[in-house]
Amino acid sequence: MNKRIVQGVQYFVSNCTIHGLRYLGNRCNVPSKLFWLSMITCSFATMIHILLYMENDETVQIHVDTSYLHWNNTFPAVSICYTKGRSLNSISKFLDDYWVKTNTTKPAKAGNYYRVAQSYLFVNPNSNVEVRGAICEGMNATCNLNLETMQSIFFPQNCSEIFMDVKFLGKPYNCDDFFERFDTEMGPCFVANSIYSKSADKSYERLPMKYTTDCPTRTFEFRYKEIEAVSFMLYIHSSEELPYLLMPSVRLRKSGANMHYSLSTIEIFNYPDVKFEPIEKRECRFPFENISQHLPLENIYQTLEYSFTNCFLTKRIQIELEKCNCTLPTSPKEYKHKYCDFNGLICVSKADILGLTKKVLFNGEQSCIQSCLEMEINLIGENTIKLQDGNDPGLVQLEVVNVPTSRYERIVAKDSLDFIVSLGGVGGLFFGISLLSLIESMYLLLRKSV
């Protein structure tokens, strides 16, 4: 049996057309065989090294495209979120009426209690609740406050309660053509031009706020009504993101002012085959690549699409649950049974959750990476003009100053076919291997065995 194998190998190397192998047969003496064996071994090792280098090479690259006349540009997403107002009158009046209706004794330090109620109403990762002294002594775990009830009373539920005179590209629209209410980690927000809206259906192509080079104006504007005890924060961001703690924001004036913001944008376009490349190659994630496997609770929020916002959110929730066994009431509704009471909120405030989240966010084993759909947005100018009548509704104008003349394109520089071509080239360089020579080798092996 061993003799037949030796004869088969000798027959194969003597008749094979792969370069160098025939010198290992009977035609050469031992020193020549050792020489050619060393040459073949070095060639094979070099070929493997080159192939591994090619495999680890950057397959996804970002280029700059300047054919702007053919683009359909996306206007940045706009979010209006609630924050603390300048007055406690509405909250104090609501609580006074509530105590009378329920025949409840008014707290001894009602002024401090009003502030606790206000901080609870506007709780978010950037503004935690602080309870001093024994204000909540003898009360339930939430200091006799119902967050859902307070939000339904003080926070507008429909965009028409806030916005009027909504215009895009100079044309009037209804506010609900663009704005949709979202519960974000910064609290309730009205968001326009988001891929998470029902009309967009998680698609950039179906976003309502698009423009081309033919548009004479590239503006989005609206007036907003003043609401007592509530102020608004304005966020301008990419359409795949929702407002979160680290996102830049601008506090809108109560009323009586025109605010104009000048923007410049650079979009990124992904070719269809980019999504088939490994994440570590393209260094970004698409929204359909959800992060449910990193969520701290099993079988919860499994459809959470990827974005830097959602990645930050899940890591913050995970740390809050580990440190305090609860999470902020601004977390997704699926965590409602884990919402913090007042003791939990104090724990979150003292645990420096923000600092811990930042460490994990940028230096952890599973650090958050950018979204593949991220847009670069720059605020290049702002101007505020006070109106003569300070009671007039405030006006916000957002303008993309210049038509974007460049955009980034994420392309696949080397696909599977390129690797096959490179494999053939490297194999031909070192051994003269082709498809026919491989077929011939198989033929010789099978023919001898028959």
Side-chain angles (χ1 to χ4, degrees):
M1 184 67 181
N2 293 336
K3 185 177 180 180
R4 291 185 60 186
I5 293 176
V6 172
Q7 290 176 349
V9 172
Q10 289 179 347
Y11 178 82
F12 171 75
V13 298
S14 298
N15 296 276
C16 183
T17 57
I18 296 177
H19 292 180
L21 288 184
R22 63 179 180 270
Y23 296 109
L24 301 180
N26 296 325
R27 68 178 64 190
C28 292
N29 54 25
V30 174
S32 298
K33 289 180 181 180
L34 292 176
F35 170 78
W36 282 106
L37 181 61
S38 63
M39 290 296 100
I40 292 172
T41 303
C42 291
S43 297
F44 182 77
T46 306
M47 183 183 72
I48 295 299
H49 178 75
I50 292 175
L51 290 176
L52 290 176
Y53 175 80
M54 294 170 58
E55 176 66 19
N56 295 326
D57 196 13
E58 292 185 1
T59 58
V60 178
Q61 298 179 356
I62 296 180
H63 294 171
V64 177
D65 182 17
T66 57
S67 57
Y68 60 92
L69 294 178
H70 306 289
W71 298 343
N72 192 16
N73 298 286
T74 303
F75 202 88
V78 179
S79 296
I80 305 294
C81 300
Y82 310 137
T83 186
K84 292 181 182 179
R86 300 177 182 175
S87 172
L88 287 173
N89 291 339
S90 296
I91 295 176
S92 59
K93 184 177 184 304
F94 161 74
L95 291 174
D96 290 341
D97 293 341
Y98 173 78
W99 290 326
V100 172
K101 291 179 182 179
T102 58
N103 195 24
T104 304
T105 303
K106 186 175 182 178
K109 297 181 179 180
N112 292 336
Y113 189 84
Y114 297 149
R115 293 182 178 85
V116 170
Q118 185 188 47
S119 62
Y120 187 45
L121 177 63
F122 295 99
V123 65
N124 62 60
N126 201 31
S127 178
N128 294 323
V129 171
E130 294 184 6
V131 180
R132 299 178 180 177
I135 297 176
C136 298
E137 186 177 352
M139 302 182 185
N140 61 18
T142 59
C143 205
N144 287 352
L145 296 171
N146 187 300
L147 186 61
E148 290 186 2
T149 300
M150 294 175 65
Q151 287 181 342
S152 65
I153 292 174
F154 294 103
F155 293 163
Q157 306 299 308
N158 188 281
C159 67
S160 60
E161 300 178 42
I162 303 177
F163 305 107
M164 62 183 76
D165 299 334
V166 178
K167 295 181 181 179
F168 179 60
L169 306 181
K171 298 180 181 179
Y173 290 89
N174 294 324
C175 68
D176 51 15
D177 291 332
F178 299 118
F179 286 102
E180 188 172 332
R181 191 178 187 274
F182 287 88
D183 290 320
T184 73
E185 71 168 334
M186 299 308 296
C189 302
F190 281 99
V191 185
N193 218 40
S194 169
I195 64 172
Y196 300 117
S197 66
K198 296 177 182 178
S199 59
D201 194 24
K202 300 181 179 62
S203 170
Y204 252 89
E205 289 70 25
R206 298 186 62 181
L207 289 173
M209 294 165 60
K210 293 276 192 175
Y211 65 94
T212 64
T213 55
D214 299 328
C215 298
T217 61
R218 297 166 295 280
T219 59
F220 178 55
E221 59 182 85
F222 54 87
R223 294 187 180 275
Y224 60 95
K225 305 174 185 178
E226 181 173 343
I227 300 177
E228 189 176 0
V230 176
S231 293
F232 300 111
M233 298 299 292
L234 171 68
Y235 297 84
I236 305 169
H237 51 93
S238 299
S239 296
E240 85 283 359
E241 301 285 358
L242 291 175
Y244 72 108
L245 182 60
L246 303 179
M247 187 178 291
S249 61
V250 177
R251 184 183 293 273
L252 297 182
R253 292 176 174 269
K254 277 290 187 177
S255 59
N258 289 344
M259 288 156 283
H260 183 274
Y261 301 95
S262 302
L263 311 172
S264 67
T265 64
I266 300 179
E267 296 186 54
I268 188 163
F269 175 78
N270 298 278
Y271 279 83
D273 51 352
V274 172
K275 65 181 66 175
F276 300 110
E277 292 296 310
I279 295 175
E280 59 271 14
K281 293 288 186 181
R282 46 183 154 94
E283 298 181 342
C284 67
R285 284 181 180 266
F286 285 96
F288 64 84
E289 296 171 317
N290 65 66
I291 51 178
S292 58
Q293 65 270 23
H294 302 314
L295 291 176
L297 298 182
E298 294 182 359
N299 301 321
I300 282 187
Y301 216 48
Q302 294 292 327
T303 58
L304 184 65
E305 292 82 9
Y306 183 83
S307 67
F308 191 88
T309 300
N310 288 339
C311 184
F312 180 91
L313 173 65
T314 55
K315 291 183 182 298
R316 177 182 63 78
I317 293 174
Q318 185 174 9
I319 294 175
E320 288 173 347
L321 292 174
E322 291 175 353
K323 297 294 183 180
C324 302
N325 196 31
C326 68
T327 183
L328 294 182
T330 56
S331 298
K333 297 298 183 183
E334 287 80 0
Y335 292 89
K336 187 174 181 179
H337 67 289
K338 283 288 187 178
Y339 283 172
C340 294
D341 57 18
F342 268 70
N343 289 330
L345 293 175
I346 295 173
C347 173
V348 170
S349 178
K350 293 180 178 179
D352 189 23
I353 300 298
L354 174 58
L356 296 175
T357 305
K358 285 182 177 180
K359 289 181 181 179
V360 175
L361 187 68
F362 300 110
N363 302 318
E365 294 180 358
Q366 297 174 340
S367 58
C368 294
I369 61 176
Q370 65 177 336
S371 166
C372 294
L373 306 180
E374 190 172 4
M375 176 192 294
E376 182 179 314
I377 304 171
N378 295 307
L379 179 64
I380 60 177
E382 56 181 298
N383 186 30
T384 300
I385 302 176
K386 292 184 179 180
L387 302 177
Q388 292 183 350
D389 188 348
N391 295 321
D392 284 348
L395 173 66
V396 175
Q397 293 178 321
L398 305 174
E399 179 183 10
V400 177
V401 180
N402 299 314
V403 176
T405 57
S406 63
R407 71 176 182 183
Y408 300 125
E409 289 186 334
R410 187 177 281 111
I411 65 174
V412 178
K414 297 178 181 178
D415 55 15
S416 300
L417 180 59
D418 293 324
F419 180 75
I420 293 175
V421 172
S422 301
L423 178 62
V426 174
L429 173 65
F430 288 99
F431 295 101
I433 297 177
S434 66
L435 180 61
L436 289 178
S437 63
L438 293 176
I439 295 175
E440 180 192 45
S441 300
M442 295 298 299
Y443 170 77
L444 292 174
L445 290 173
L446 294 175
R447 180 176 179 275
K448 188 61 180 177
S449 62
V450 169

